[in-house]
Amino acid sequence: MQHPVPSKSSTLKRAELAMSQNPPLLTVGHAQIDELNTRARAHTDVDVAYTLALEAATLAQQTTPRYLRGWAEALLTLASSEERQGQYRDSLRDVNHALTLFQELQLSPFVASCFYILTWNYYGLGDYPRAMEFALHHLQLAEISDDLKAQAEAHNSLGAIYSMILETNGDALQKSLDHYQLSLSIYVRLGEVKRQAVLLNNLCVSYQYMKRYPEALSHALQSLDLSRQSEDIYSEILVLGNLAIIERYLNNYAQALEYHTLRLHMIRSYGYGSLEAHTLLNLGCVYVDIADFDKAQEAITQALSLIH
């Protein structure tokens, strides 16, 4: 059965603009399709990755016999790109098709990758039981194959899921911390500094939920240091927001304002506009705390203008 070509979503429209940087290959063969898939997986630009994977998927279906592995790998990258853009239904369609192909081909590492993407799709849709199901499948395969990186990914997924099911599981926060700690320990062992920064920030959030603010602050500061060491701008922006929130809870308003202001500057400088309104609202709340109502009104008015 031929897999339907994905609809021309906003992601695809933007991706077409990147085609001039990645012209289509003129001859069709496994090597060319593999090259496209490799370039797609490696590309940090979601739109370009989507374009390359779409081309690989199209070419893989045109080979005789059909190049199933190349097709499945392309579908997996399409699904990953769609999940990162919040297009969860499209991503579920493509990742489930890829999963069927990888299971037929008995390629366990790729099956594990499918479980990872399924986990985050259901997490994004708020279906935490299904997200948990696939995260546990992912962890099981990772342990069977002794794949440390996949184990770290699965533990991070489980930490995120447990942090969202507080109402149905009284031990959820502790389980969240346990899984985050396991993930962090593996990334330390692997020497992956960027991922260590992410996990330290995740632990900071869980400690905030538990109102353990000194521990939250300690983990956030460690995350900030590693984010700067690895020059990971997005992680730095995220942790600055958490630092500002913690300092506000600790009544350190001057420090909270400093972190919010730096975060806002970085958001505007590096083009992370989707985070601006939330930052302005938090900034406005701090100004309310210190009774600077003019600045509070200015920040909140800017935030509302971005929301509407």
Side-chain angles (χ1 to χ4, degrees), residues 24-73:
L25 302 175
L26 298 179
T27 57
V28 177
H30 289 196
Q32 288 82 4
I33 294 166
D34 289 342
E35 181 189 346
L36 280 168
N37 278 324
T38 299
R39 288 162 60 193
R41 282 194 300 272
H43 219 292
T44 57
D45 187 302
V46 175
D47 294 336
V48 176
Y50 186 94
T51 301
L52 293 168
L54 184 62
E55 185 180 351
T58 301
L59 293 177
Q61 292 178 80
Q62 293 172 352
T63 60
T64 305
R66 187 174 294 169
Y67 183 25
L68 295 182
R69 175 168 179 163
W71 185 18
E73 289 187 30

mmCIF file of all heavy atoms in Angstrom, residues 24-73:
data_model
loop_
_atom_site.group_PDB
_atom_site.id
_atom_site.type_symbol
_atom_site.label_atom_id
_atom_site.label_comp_id
_atom_site.label_asym_id
_atom_site.label_seq_id
_atom_site.Cartn_x
_atom_site.Cartn_y
_atom_site.Cartn_z
ATOM 1 N N PRO A 24 17.517 18.758 -5.395
ATOM 2 C CA PRO A 24 17.258 17.322 -5.490
ATOM 3 C C PRO A 24 18.326 16.600 -6.283
ATOM 4 O O PRO A 24 18.909 17.152 -7.222
ATOM 5 C CB PRO A 24 15.899 17.264 -6.201
ATOM 6 C CG PRO A 24 15.780 18.564 -6.905
ATOM 7 C CD PRO A 24 16.489 19.556 -6.071
ATOM 8 N N LEU A 25 18.609 15.378 -5.889
ATOM 9 C CA LEU A 25 19.584 14.572 -6.610
ATOM 10 C C LEU A 25 18.982 14.106 -7.931
ATOM 11 O O LEU A 25 17.796 13.842 -8.042
ATOM 12 C CB LEU A 25 19.982 13.366 -5.746
ATOM 13 C CG LEU A 25 20.581 13.752 -4.375
ATOM 14 C CD1 LEU A 25 20.827 12.508 -3.556
ATOM 15 C CD2 LEU A 25 21.869 14.533 -4.560
ATOM 16 N N LEU A 26 19.841 13.973 -8.942
ATOM 17 C CA LEU A 26 19.343 13.707 -10.286
ATOM 18 C C LEU A 26 19.162 12.226 -10.556
ATOM 19 O O LEU A 26 18.405 11.852 -11.438
ATOM 20 C CB LEU A 26 20.308 14.322 -11.317
ATOM 21 C CG LEU A 26 20.464 15.851 -11.232
ATOM 22 C CD1 LEU A 26 21.459 16.328 -12.282
ATOM 23 C CD2 LEU A 26 19.117 16.540 -11.434
ATOM 24 N N THR A 27 19.867 11.375 -9.865
ATOM 25 C CA THR A 27 19.743 9.941 -10.091
ATOM 26 C C THR A 27 19.160 9.291 -8.851
ATOM 27 O O THR A 27 19.426 9.726 -7.729
ATOM 28 C CB THR A 27 21.112 9.313 -10.400
ATOM 29 O OG1 THR A 27 22.003 9.590 -9.319
ATOM 30 C CG2 THR A 27 21.684 9.892 -11.687
ATOM 31 N N VAL A 28 18.359 8.259 -9.069
ATOM 32 C CA VAL A 28 17.686 7.592 -7.963
ATOM 33 C C VAL A 28 18.396 6.277 -7.661
ATOM 34 O O VAL A 28 18.576 5.442 -8.538
ATOM 35 C CB VAL A 28 16.205 7.328 -8.299
ATOM 36 C CG1 VAL A 28 15.535 6.560 -7.162
ATOM 37 C CG2 VAL A 28 15.493 8.642 -8.559
ATOM 38 N N GLY A 29 18.803 6.065 -6.434
ATOM 39 C CA GLY A 29 19.433 4.837 -5.987
ATOM 40 C C GLY A 29 19.506 4.838 -4.485
ATOM 41 O O GLY A 29 19.285 5.860 -3.842
ATOM 42 N N HIS A 30 19.821 3.667 -3.916
ATOM 43 C CA HIS A 30 19.856 3.569 -2.463
ATOM 44 C C HIS A 30 20.845 4.548 -1.854
ATOM 45 O O HIS A 30 20.583 5.148 -0.811
ATOM 46 C CB HIS A 30 20.194 2.136 -2.054
ATOM 47 C CG HIS A 30 19.090 1.169 -2.324
ATOM 48 N ND1 HIS A 30 19.039 -0.089 -1.746
ATOM 49 C CD2 HIS A 30 17.981 1.258 -3.104
ATOM 50 C CE1 HIS A 30 17.942 -0.729 -2.177
ATOM 51 N NE2 HIS A 30 17.305 0.072 -3.011
ATOM 52 N N ALA A 31 22.018 4.691 -2.481
ATOM 53 C CA ALA A 31 23.042 5.583 -1.934
ATOM 54 C C ALA A 31 22.547 7.020 -1.870
ATOM 55 O O ALA A 31 22.794 7.736 -0.886
ATOM 56 C CB ALA A 31 24.317 5.497 -2.771
ATOM 57 N N GLN A 32 21.847 7.455 -2.905
ATOM 58 C CA GLN A 32 21.344 8.829 -2.933
ATOM 59 C C GLN A 32 20.273 9.044 -1.863
ATOM 60 O O GLN A 32 20.236 10.079 -1.194
ATOM 61 C CB GLN A 32 20.769 9.149 -4.316
ATOM 62 C CG GLN A 32 21.809 9.303 -5.410
ATOM 63 C CD GLN A 32 22.256 7.961 -5.977
ATOM 64 O OE1 GLN A 32 21.734 6.905 -5.606
ATOM 65 N NE2 GLN A 32 23.219 7.984 -6.877
ATOM 66 N N ILE A 33 19.414 8.051 -1.701
ATOM 67 C CA ILE A 33 18.359 8.149 -0.687
ATOM 68 C C ILE A 33 18.982 8.137 0.711
ATOM 69 O O ILE A 33 18.576 8.915 1.588
ATOM 70 C CB ILE A 33 17.346 7.003 -0.854
ATOM 71 C CG1 ILE A 33 16.605 7.168 -2.191
ATOM 72 C CG2 ILE A 33 16.355 6.966 0.306
ATOM 73 C CD1 ILE A 33 15.835 5.947 -2.623
ATOM 74 N N ASP A 34 19.990 7.282 0.909
ATOM 75 C CA ASP A 34 20.676 7.240 2.199
ATOM 76 C C ASP A 34 21.339 8.582 2.506
ATOM 77 O O ASP A 34 21.336 9.044 3.649
ATOM 78 C CB ASP A 34 21.730 6.134 2.212
ATOM 79 C CG ASP A 34 21.115 4.736 2.238
ATOM 80 O OD1 ASP A 34 19.921 4.624 2.593
ATOM 81 O OD2 ASP A 34 21.831 3.782 1.900
ATOM 82 N N GLU A 35 21.907 9.197 1.476
ATOM 83 C CA GLU A 35 22.547 10.495 1.677
ATOM 84 C C GLU A 35 21.527 11.552 2.103
ATOM 85 O O GLU A 35 21.770 12.346 3.016
ATOM 86 C CB GLU A 35 23.257 10.950 0.398
ATOM 87 C CG GLU A 35 23.966 12.298 0.561
ATOM 88 C CD GLU A 35 24.477 12.863 -0.749
ATOM 89 O OE1 GLU A 35 24.534 12.120 -1.750
ATOM 90 O OE2 GLU A 35 24.796 14.069 -0.777
ATOM 91 N N LEU A 36 20.389 11.553 1.440
ATOM 92 C CA LEU A 36 19.331 12.499 1.810
ATOM 93 C C LEU A 36 18.875 12.285 3.244
ATOM 94 O O LEU A 36 18.691 13.239 4.013
ATOM 95 C CB LEU A 36 18.139 12.346 0.856
ATOM 96 C CG LEU A 36 18.248 13.029 -0.504
ATOM 97 C CD1 LEU A 36 17.131 12.545 -1.426
ATOM 98 C CD2 LEU A 36 18.174 14.550 -0.354
ATOM 99 N N ASN A 37 18.689 11.024 3.619
ATOM 100 C CA ASN A 37 18.255 10.726 4.983
ATOM 101 C C ASN A 37 19.299 11.148 6.013
ATOM 102 O O ASN A 37 18.960 11.673 7.082
ATOM 103 C CB ASN A 37 17.952 9.232 5.133
ATOM 104 C CG ASN A 37 16.562 8.874 4.632
ATOM 105 O OD1 ASN A 37 15.629 9.655 4.790
ATOM 106 N ND2 ASN A 37 16.423 7.702 4.040
ATOM 107 N N THR A 38 20.579 10.931 5.692
ATOM 108 C CA THR A 38 21.653 11.341 6.602
ATOM 109 C C THR A 38 21.674 12.846 6.773
ATOM 110 O O THR A 38 21.790 13.366 7.897
ATOM 111 C CB THR A 38 23.013 10.856 6.075
ATOM 112 O OG1 THR A 38 23.013 9.423 5.997
ATOM 113 C CG2 THR A 38 24.144 11.301 6.991
ATOM 114 N N ARG A 39 21.535 13.565 5.676
ATOM 115 C CA ARG A 39 21.518 15.034 5.744
ATOM 116 C C ARG A 39 20.291 15.534 6.512
ATOM 117 O O ARG A 39 20.373 16.488 7.288
ATOM 118 C CB ARG A 39 21.534 15.612 4.328
ATOM 119 C CG ARG A 39 22.869 15.464 3.614
ATOM 120 C CD ARG A 39 22.729 15.637 2.113
ATOM 121 N NE ARG A 39 22.202 16.944 1.736
ATOM 122 C CZ ARG A 39 21.765 17.229 0.503
ATOM 123 N NH1 ARG A 39 21.785 16.306 -0.445
ATOM 124 N NH2 ARG A 39 21.325 18.438 0.245
ATOM 125 N N ALA A 40 19.160 14.868 6.311
ATOM 126 C CA ALA A 40 17.928 15.273 7.002
ATOM 127 C C ALA A 40 18.069 15.089 8.505
ATOM 128 O O ALA A 40 17.691 15.968 9.293
ATOM 129 C CB ALA A 40 16.752 14.470 6.468
ATOM 130 N N ARG A 41 18.598 13.944 8.933
ATOM 131 C CA ARG A 41 18.744 13.674 10.367
ATOM 132 C C ARG A 41 19.706 14.662 11.033
ATOM 133 O O ARG A 41 19.522 15.044 12.181
ATOM 134 C CB ARG A 41 19.249 12.249 10.597
ATOM 135 C CG ARG A 41 18.189 11.175 10.457
ATOM 136 C CD ARG A 41 18.697 9.857 11.026
ATOM 137 N NE ARG A 41 19.896 9.394 10.338
ATOM 138 C CZ ARG A 41 19.885 8.631 9.254
ATOM 139 N NH1 ARG A 41 18.733 8.247 8.715
ATOM 140 N NH2 ARG A 41 21.015 8.231 8.693
ATOM 141 N N ALA A 42 20.730 15.074 10.276
ATOM 142 C CA ALA A 42 21.779 15.918 10.856
ATOM 143 C C ALA A 42 21.403 17.389 10.895
ATOM 144 O O ALA A 42 22.006 18.162 11.646
ATOM 145 C CB ALA A 42 23.076 15.738 10.071
ATOM 146 N N HIS A 43 20.397 17.788 10.095
ATOM 147 C CA HIS A 43 20.109 19.214 9.965
ATOM 148 C C HIS A 43 19.360 19.737 11.182
ATOM 149 O O HIS A 43 18.402 19.132 11.644
ATOM 150 C CB HIS A 43 19.299 19.489 8.700
ATOM 151 C CG HIS A 43 19.718 20.754 8.014
ATOM 152 N ND1 HIS A 43 19.513 21.997 8.564
ATOM 153 C CD2 HIS A 43 20.368 20.962 6.842
ATOM 154 C CE1 HIS A 43 19.997 22.913 7.747
ATOM 155 N NE2 HIS A 43 20.525 22.319 6.706
ATOM 156 N N THR A 44 19.806 20.871 11.695
ATOM 157 C CA THR A 44 19.158 21.466 12.868
ATOM 158 C C THR A 44 17.933 22.298 12.500
ATOM 159 O O THR A 44 17.100 22.572 13.365
ATOM 160 C CB THR A 44 20.150 22.362 13.626
ATOM 161 O OG1 THR A 44 20.665 23.365 12.734
ATOM 162 C CG2 THR A 44 21.317 21.537 14.172
ATOM 163 N N ASP A 45 17.817 22.704 11.237
ATOM 164 C CA ASP A 45 16.654 23.471 10.781
ATOM 165 C C ASP A 45 15.525 22.492 10.468
ATOM 166 O O ASP A 45 15.646 21.647 9.580
ATOM 167 C CB ASP A 45 17.021 24.287 9.552
ATOM 168 C CG ASP A 45 15.911 25.238 9.121
ATOM 169 O OD1 ASP A 45 14.789 24.748 8.854
ATOM 170 O OD2 ASP A 45 16.164 26.453 9.019
ATOM 171 N N VAL A 46 14.416 22.611 11.193
ATOM 172 C CA VAL A 46 13.309 21.666 11.048
ATOM 173 C C VAL A 46 12.756 21.682 9.621
ATOM 174 O O VAL A 46 12.437 20.632 9.054
ATOM 175 C CB VAL A 46 12.183 21.980 12.058
ATOM 176 C CG1 VAL A 46 10.978 21.070 11.831
ATOM 177 C CG2 VAL A 46 12.687 21.830 13.480
ATOM 178 N N ASP A 47 12.641 22.864 9.032
ATOM 179 C CA ASP A 47 12.072 22.961 7.691
ATOM 180 C C ASP A 47 12.953 22.277 6.651
ATOM 181 O O ASP A 47 12.460 21.570 5.766
ATOM 182 C CB ASP A 47 11.874 24.430 7.313
ATOM 183 C CG ASP A 47 10.823 25.114 8.170
ATOM 184 O OD1 ASP A 47 9.959 24.398 8.709
ATOM 185 O OD2 ASP A 47 10.868 26.343 8.303
ATOM 186 N N VAL A 48 14.267 22.483 6.753
ATOM 187 C CA VAL A 48 15.190 21.858 5.804
ATOM 188 C C VAL A 48 15.187 20.341 5.995
ATOM 189 O O VAL A 48 15.169 19.582 5.019
ATOM 190 C CB VAL A 48 16.607 22.426 5.959
ATOM 191 C CG1 VAL A 48 17.584 21.703 5.036
ATOM 192 C CG2 VAL A 48 16.625 23.922 5.651
ATOM 193 N N ALA A 49 15.203 19.888 7.247
ATOM 194 C CA ALA A 49 15.156 18.445 7.522
ATOM 195 C C ALA A 49 13.904 17.833 6.920
ATOM 196 O O ALA A 49 13.942 16.748 6.318
ATOM 197 C CB ALA A 49 15.208 18.198 9.027
ATOM 198 N N TYR A 50 12.778 18.534 7.065
ATOM 199 C CA TYR A 50 11.508 18.046 6.520
ATOM 200 C C TYR A 50 11.585 17.932 4.999
ATOM 201 O O TYR A 50 11.153 16.940 4.403
ATOM 202 C CB TYR A 50 10.379 18.993 6.932
ATOM 203 C CG TYR A 50 8.994 18.516 6.554
ATOM 204 C CD1 TYR A 50 8.222 17.790 7.451
ATOM 205 C CD2 TYR A 50 8.450 18.788 5.296
ATOM 206 C CE1 TYR A 50 6.952 17.338 7.119
ATOM 207 C CE2 TYR A 50 7.190 18.346 4.953
ATOM 208 C CZ TYR A 50 6.446 17.632 5.862
ATOM 209 O OH TYR A 50 5.190 17.183 5.515
ATOM 210 N N THR A 51 12.147 18.942 4.354
ATOM 211 C CA THR A 51 12.261 18.939 2.896
ATOM 212 C C THR A 51 13.102 17.776 2.399
ATOM 213 O O THR A 51 12.727 17.066 1.460
ATOM 214 C CB THR A 51 12.893 20.274 2.414
ATOM 215 O OG1 THR A 51 12.091 21.353 2.836
ATOM 216 C CG2 THR A 51 13.004 20.295 0.896
ATOM 217 N N LEU A 52 14.262 17.578 3.026
ATOM 218 C CA LEU A 52 15.158 16.492 2.625
ATOM 219 C C LEU A 52 14.499 15.131 2.844
ATOM 220 O O LEU A 52 14.590 14.236 1.995
ATOM 221 C CB LEU A 52 16.457 16.580 3.420
ATOM 222 C CG LEU A 52 17.346 17.795 3.125
ATOM 223 C CD1 LEU A 52 18.436 17.920 4.178
ATOM 224 C CD2 LEU A 52 17.964 17.671 1.735
ATOM 225 N N ALA A 53 13.818 14.967 3.986
ATOM 226 C CA ALA A 53 13.159 13.693 4.275
ATOM 227 C C ALA A 53 12.014 13.434 3.318
ATOM 228 O O ALA A 53 11.785 12.287 2.893
ATOM 229 C CB ALA A 53 12.656 13.680 5.720
ATOM 230 N N LEU A 54 11.278 14.474 2.961
ATOM 231 C CA LEU A 54 10.175 14.308 2.016
ATOM 232 C C LEU A 54 10.685 13.864 0.651
ATOM 233 O O LEU A 54 10.101 12.993 0.002
ATOM 234 C CB LEU A 54 9.389 15.617 1.886
ATOM 235 C CG LEU A 54 8.134 15.569 1.008
ATOM 236 C CD1 LEU A 54 7.111 14.592 1.581
ATOM 237 C CD2 LEU A 54 7.523 16.961 0.881
ATOM 238 N N GLU A 55 11.817 14.443 0.239
ATOM 239 C CA GLU A 55 12.411 14.031 -1.035
ATOM 240 C C GLU A 55 12.883 12.578 -0.971
ATOM 241 O O GLU A 55 12.672 11.799 -1.914
ATOM 242 C CB GLU A 55 13.586 14.947 -1.374
ATOM 243 C CG GLU A 55 14.189 14.671 -2.752
ATOM 244 C CD GLU A 55 15.355 15.581 -3.067
ATOM 245 O OE1 GLU A 55 15.607 16.541 -2.310
ATOM 246 O OE2 GLU A 55 16.039 15.304 -4.067
ATOM 247 N N ALA A 56 13.504 12.201 0.155
ATOM 248 C CA ALA A 56 13.961 10.819 0.319
ATOM 249 C C ALA A 56 12.792 9.850 0.290
ATOM 250 O O ALA A 56 12.867 8.770 -0.340
ATOM 251 C CB ALA A 56 14.735 10.675 1.625
ATOM 252 N N ALA A 57 11.689 10.197 0.962
ATOM 253 C CA ALA A 57 10.511 9.329 0.977
ATOM 254 C C ALA A 57 9.938 9.148 -0.420
ATOM 255 O O ALA A 57 9.553 8.042 -0.819
ATOM 256 C CB ALA A 57 9.450 9.917 1.909
ATOM 257 N N THR A 58 9.890 10.238 -1.183
ATOM 258 C CA THR A 58 9.348 10.175 -2.538
ATOM 259 C C THR A 58 10.220 9.293 -3.427
ATOM 260 O O THR A 58 9.716 8.429 -4.164
ATOM 261 C CB THR A 58 9.263 11.596 -3.139
ATOM 262 O OG1 THR A 58 8.433 12.400 -2.301
ATOM 263 C CG2 THR A 58 8.678 11.560 -4.536
ATOM 264 N N LEU A 59 11.548 9.474 -3.353
ATOM 265 C CA LEU A 59 12.460 8.677 -4.176
ATOM 266 C C LEU A 59 12.433 7.203 -3.772
ATOM 267 O O LEU A 59 12.489 6.322 -4.633
ATOM 268 C CB LEU A 59 13.883 9.226 -4.060
ATOM 269 C CG LEU A 59 14.135 10.610 -4.662
ATOM 270 C CD1 LEU A 59 15.567 11.051 -4.392
ATOM 271 C CD2 LEU A 59 13.850 10.618 -6.155
ATOM 272 N N ALA A 60 12.344 6.932 -2.463
ATOM 273 C CA ALA A 60 12.343 5.544 -1.990
ATOM 274 C C ALA A 60 11.146 4.780 -2.521
ATOM 275 O O ALA A 60 11.223 3.567 -2.777
ATOM 276 C CB ALA A 60 12.361 5.519 -0.463
ATOM 277 N N GLN A 61 10.016 5.467 -2.694
ATOM 278 C CA GLN A 61 8.821 4.814 -3.228
ATOM 279 C C GLN A 61 8.904 4.596 -4.740
ATOM 280 O O GLN A 61 8.149 3.799 -5.290
ATOM 281 C CB GLN A 61 7.587 5.661 -2.897
ATOM 282 C CG GLN A 61 7.262 5.712 -1.415
ATOM 283 C CD GLN A 61 6.073 6.597 -1.135
ATOM 284 O OE1 GLN A 61 4.920 6.189 -1.303
ATOM 285 N NE2 GLN A 61 6.330 7.825 -0.714
ATOM 286 N N GLN A 62 9.818 5.298 -5.396
ATOM 287 C CA GLN A 62 9.935 5.189 -6.853
ATOM 288 C C GLN A 62 10.916 4.118 -7.284
ATOM 289 O O GLN A 62 10.984 3.780 -8.473
ATOM 290 C CB GLN A 62 10.370 6.549 -7.432
ATOM 291 C CG GLN A 62 9.315 7.631 -7.277
ATOM 292 C CD GLN A 62 9.827 8.998 -7.681
ATOM 293 O OE1 GLN A 62 11.021 9.183 -7.939
ATOM 294 N NE2 GLN A 62 8.928 9.980 -7.730
ATOM 295 N N THR A 63 11.714 3.587 -6.350
ATOM 296 C CA THR A 63 12.672 2.548 -6.714
ATOM 297 C C THR A 63 11.955 1.228 -6.947
ATOM 298 O O THR A 63 10.857 0.988 -6.435
ATOM 299 C CB THR A 63 13.719 2.355 -5.594
ATOM 300 O OG1 THR A 63 13.056 1.972 -4.383
ATOM 301 C CG2 THR A 63 14.518 3.627 -5.358
ATOM 302 N N THR A 64 12.573 0.371 -7.725
ATOM 303 C CA THR A 64 12.026 -0.960 -7.995
ATOM 304 C C THR A 64 13.113 -2.000 -7.703
ATOM 305 O O THR A 64 14.150 -2.015 -8.363
ATOM 306 C CB THR A 64 11.578 -1.094 -9.454
ATOM 307 O OG1 THR A 64 10.644 -0.046 -9.754
ATOM 308 C CG2 THR A 64 10.914 -2.441 -9.707
ATOM 309 N N PRO A 65 12.904 -2.885 -6.684
ATOM 310 C CA PRO A 65 11.760 -2.873 -5.764
ATOM 311 C C PRO A 65 11.852 -1.671 -4.817
ATOM 312 O O PRO A 65 12.902 -1.065 -4.686
ATOM 313 C CB PRO A 65 11.913 -4.189 -4.998
ATOM 314 C CG PRO A 65 13.390 -4.441 -4.997
ATOM 315 C CD PRO A 65 13.869 -3.951 -6.338
ATOM 316 N N ARG A 66 10.737 -1.361 -4.183
ATOM 317 C CA ARG A 66 10.686 -0.205 -3.294
ATOM 318 C C ARG A 66 11.718 -0.350 -2.178
ATOM 319 O O ARG A 66 11.854 -1.406 -1.570
ATOM 320 C CB ARG A 66 9.284 -0.090 -2.715
ATOM 321 C CG ARG A 66 9.029 1.164 -1.897
ATOM 322 C CD ARG A 66 7.568 1.251 -1.500
ATOM 323 N NE ARG A 66 6.714 1.445 -2.669
ATOM 324 C CZ ARG A 66 5.387 1.347 -2.648
ATOM 325 N NH1 ARG A 66 4.781 1.034 -1.511
ATOM 326 N NH2 ARG A 66 4.684 1.554 -3.728
ATOM 327 N N TYR A 67 12.457 0.744 -1.926
ATOM 328 C CA TYR A 67 13.514 0.748 -0.908
ATOM 329 C C TYR A 67 12.877 1.024 0.456
ATOM 330 O O TYR A 67 12.758 2.151 0.889
ATOM 331 C CB TYR A 67 14.556 1.809 -1.265
ATOM 332 C CG TYR A 67 15.746 1.883 -0.331
ATOM 333 C CD1 TYR A 67 16.166 0.781 0.430
ATOM 334 C CD2 TYR A 67 16.472 3.067 -0.211
ATOM 335 C CE1 TYR A 67 17.248 0.863 1.270
ATOM 336 C CE2 TYR A 67 17.561 3.162 0.622
ATOM 337 C CZ TYR A 67 17.945 2.059 1.370
ATOM 338 O OH TYR A 67 19.035 2.139 2.204
ATOM 339 N N LEU A 68 12.505 -0.062 1.139
ATOM 340 C CA LEU A 68 11.711 0.062 2.359
ATOM 341 C C LEU A 68 12.462 0.741 3.492
ATOM 342 O O LEU A 68 11.901 1.577 4.216
ATOM 343 C CB LEU A 68 11.211 -1.309 2.801
ATOM 344 C CG LEU A 68 10.228 -2.016 1.847
ATOM 345 C CD1 LEU A 68 9.792 -3.344 2.434
ATOM 346 C CD2 LEU A 68 9.026 -1.128 1.562
ATOM 347 N N ARG A 69 13.743 0.380 3.663
ATOM 348 C CA ARG A 69 14.484 0.998 4.775
ATOM 349 C C ARG A 69 14.635 2.507 4.551
ATOM 350 O O ARG A 69 14.439 3.298 5.474
ATOM 351 C CB ARG A 69 15.858 0.354 4.931
ATOM 352 C CG ARG A 69 16.694 1.047 5.990
ATOM 353 C CD ARG A 69 17.927 0.297 6.385
ATOM 354 N NE ARG A 69 18.675 1.037 7.390
ATOM 355 C CZ ARG A 69 19.615 0.518 8.157
ATOM 356 N NH1 ARG A 69 19.919 -0.774 8.058
ATOM 357 N NH2 ARG A 69 20.259 1.266 9.041
ATOM 358 N N GLY A 70 14.981 2.902 3.339
ATOM 359 C CA GLY A 70 15.124 4.325 3.053
ATOM 360 C C GLY A 70 13.819 5.075 3.244
ATOM 361 O O GLY A 70 13.800 6.208 3.739
ATOM 362 N N TRP A 71 12.728 4.440 2.859
ATOM 363 C CA TRP A 71 11.403 5.038 3.022
ATOM 364 C C TRP A 71 11.065 5.200 4.502
ATOM 365 O O TRP A 71 10.613 6.259 4.954
ATOM 366 C CB TRP A 71 10.382 4.138 2.322
ATOM 367 C CG TRP A 71 8.975 4.643 2.289
ATOM 368 C CD1 TRP A 71 8.536 5.918 2.501
ATOM 369 C CD2 TRP A 71 7.809 3.864 2.034
ATOM 370 N NE1 TRP A 71 7.167 5.978 2.381
ATOM 371 C CE2 TRP A 71 6.700 4.732 2.085
ATOM 372 C CE3 TRP A 71 7.591 2.521 1.737
ATOM 373 C CZ2 TRP A 71 5.389 4.294 1.882
ATOM 374 C CZ3 TRP A 71 6.298 2.083 1.522
ATOM 375 C CH2 TRP A 71 5.194 2.964 1.589
ATOM 376 N N ALA A 72 11.334 4.133 5.276
ATOM 377 C CA ALA A 72 11.017 4.164 6.708
ATOM 378 C C ALA A 72 11.844 5.225 7.429
ATOM 379 O O ALA A 72 11.330 5.955 8.289
ATOM 380 C CB ALA A 72 11.270 2.789 7.320
ATOM 381 N N GLU A 73 13.127 5.331 7.091
ATOM 382 C CA GLU A 73 13.973 6.335 7.739
ATOM 383 C C GLU A 73 13.480 7.749 7.422
ATOM 384 O O GLU A 73 13.492 8.642 8.278
ATOM 385 C CB GLU A 73 15.429 6.163 7.306
ATOM 386 C CG GLU A 73 16.092 4.935 7.883
ATOM 387 C CD GLU A 73 17.577 4.868 7.571
ATOM 388 O OE1 GLU A 73 18.203 5.943 7.428
ATOM 389 O OE2 GLU A 73 18.115 3.758 7.460
#
